[in-house]
Amino acid sequence: MFSHLSHLECGRCGTEHESERPQNLCTACGSPLLARYDLAAVRASVSPDDFARRSPDLWRYHELLPVRSPQAVTTLGEGMTPLAPMARYGERIGLPRLLMKDEGLIPTGSFKARGAAVGVSRAAELGVERLAMPTNGNAGAAWALYGARAGLATTIVMPVDAPEITRRECVASGADLHLVDGLISDAGRIVGEVVAAAEGRVFDASTLKEPYRIEGKKTMMLEIAEQLGWRTPDVILYPTGGGVGLIGIHKALRELRELGWISGPPPRLVAVQAEGCAPIVRAFEQGERESRYWEGAQTVAFGINVPKPLGDFLILDALAETSGTAVTVTDGELLAELREVAAAEGAFVCPEGAAAFAAARKLRRSGWIDQDEQVVVLNTGAGIKYPGTVPVDAPVLAADGHLV
């Protein structure tokens, strides 16, 4: 069997929902739905050793993904990104065992391609013809391009300040693109109106308003475990806006443990936010079950500029259950770290990834991370998608000039 998907379950109230028609939020409480699998059947049909003989992409884990038929898979080769040692930079910040999971090398240039590949594949399999979603840039670009790959129409609404390359990706894909002079929350309101007026003809693919992008994102953790020989690191730092990746990592850890493929304590998960938009950090520090809307949200790390994540309670659960933490960094700190990582390791990371590196430095300095611990930082996208983060003031030579 290609997939052992069993049903959908509300992440808050536990109400079960069928998985064989398009679904958005829980009809009982309005919370995000999570895909559940027959893990006993997965355990009986596949073992960790089997994955090494499969294609080097996220679909190698298809038993733990929701797409029923291999013919329904929409792919551009996404997955199995490097888990690269960062020895020189790690020594500088006191973490010699530091690793980077580099999602900048994935199709569309960000980890959003994982969620798009699985979410679009399942939407098409269930008969969806048009998707609509708000985005801070990279998710919209990914869903537009994968939508084109699957033959689906897409409507994308993003803030006018989103990275320019992402709107160009949407236009190139033929998406119906609209810009809004506001935040992703404003874009979300507009998409909600479009979906409501369409009377079922447009499917809402907003973050956590459909259940399957999480499944694509969780493959980051499946890959990390496989790349470490079915072990887990001590700490994983993740730049957190909507938090789907962090929720997915936590979900994968639970599934791997239930399958018996990993053992021991889970990695401590760290939600990294920018000082200018930190609703999860504030909720975590105040011991709250949910976050509150962050007024005046602003950061150069645009992908984590989310003032009120829909899945905030799931993020906070993940931190609590793994003895993790939440931490902020300033824009100045993350921009400085971006350049230091590039100069030390030759890795031009995105500003969101740079925020996670800055947080690793901060947590090592405070003693929350020990020197001998194995730490994984998620770089969620390619730095070249954000050219404005590094100003260039190079001298211009005449055509017949010389360097002296």
Side-chain angles (χ1 to χ4, degrees), residues 63 75 152 217 260 263 303 305 344 358 376:
E63 289 90 351
T75 182
L152 303 187
K217 303 287 184 66
S263 59
N305 197 36
V376 173

Side-chain angles (χ1 to χ4, degrees), residues 14-310:
T15 299
E16 292 191 7
H17 297 257
E18 66 169 289
S19 59
E20 297 313 299
R21 63 180 179 86
Q23 298 273 19
N24 289 115
L25 299 175
C26 175
T27 55
C29 73
S31 298
L33 299 178
L34 303 173
R36 299 303 187 197
Y37 299 85
D38 182 347
L39 295 180
V42 173
R43 191 185 306 112
S45 65
V46 68
S47 71
D49 291 340
D50 295 326
F51 298 122
R53 294 186 287 273
R54 295 182 177 179
S55 60
D57 56 41
L58 64 81
W59 298 100
R60 69 204 279 120
Y61 309 115
H62 57 77
E63 289 90 351
L64 286 167
L65 294 174
V67 179
R68 296 288 189 191
S69 167
Q71 287 72 41
V73 168
T74 300
T75 182
L76 290 167
E78 58 288 333
M80 201 45 71
T81 55
L83 189 61
M86 304 293 278
R88 185 179 295 109
Y89 170 79
E91 287 286 353
R92 291 183 185 178
I93 68 170
L95 293 172
R97 300 178 66 201
L98 182 67
L99 300 168
M100 174 181 66
K101 182 67 169 166
D102 191 4
E103 295 292 287
L105 301 180
I106 210 164
T108 79
S110 87
F111 79 118
K112 304 289 188 179
R114 293 182 185 269
V118 176
V120 166
S121 294
R122 187 60 175 153
E125 188 173 44
L126 293 176
V128 171
E129 296 182 353
R130 177 177 284 276
L131 303 163
M133 65 182 298
T135 178
N136 268 335
N138 278 316
W143 282 71
L145 288 161
Y146 277 84
R149 179 80 164 168
L152 303 187
T154 53
T155 296
I156 309 294
V157 184
M158 70 173 67
V160 70
D161 292 332
E164 182 180 349
I165 184 59
T166 61
R167 75 180 68 169
R168 295 185 183 276
E169 288 174 289
C170 291
V171 171
S173 73
D176 175 30
L177 174 67
H178 300 268
L179 306 178
V180 59
D181 188 11
L183 300 173
I184 190 172
S185 51
D186 302 304
R189 175 189 56 78
I190 293 169
V191 167
E193 293 171 353
V194 169
V195 171
E199 298 181 338
R201 296 186 304 276
V202 178
F203 182 72
D204 191 342
S206 303
T207 301
L208 292 178
K209 288 187 178 179
E210 63 81 42
Y212 298 119
R213 77 166 67 187
I214 294 176
E215 300 307 290
K217 303 287 184 66
K218 82 178 182 187
T219 60
M220 292 186 290
M221 186 66 240
L222 300 179
E223 289 178 15
I224 290 170
E226 183 180 358
Q227 289 168 318
L228 292 177
W230 299 102
R231 294 184 302 103
T232 58
D234 297 297
V235 178
I236 297 176
L237 295 102
Y238 185 83
T240 304
V244 180
L246 191 70
I247 296 166
I249 287 169
H250 183 232
K251 186 174 187 290
L253 287 168
R254 283 180 162 184
E255 292 172 354
L256 288 170
R257 183 172 302 281
E258 188 170 340
L259 285 164
W261 293 354
I262 62 171
S263 59
R268 307 194 306 280
L269 301 181
V270 180
V272 180
Q273 298 200 296
E275 198 172 80
C277 183
I280 295 298
V281 176
R282 180 173 62 190
F284 179 84
E285 291 177 344
Q286 296 180 1
E288 296 173 345
R289 185 76 173 84
E290 299 179 5
S291 67
R292 288 173 283 116
Y293 186 89
W294 189 276
E295 298 290 346
Q298 187 173 11
T299 172
V300 296
F302 206 75
I304 55 176
N305 197 36
V306 180
K308 177 69 168 77
L310 179 63

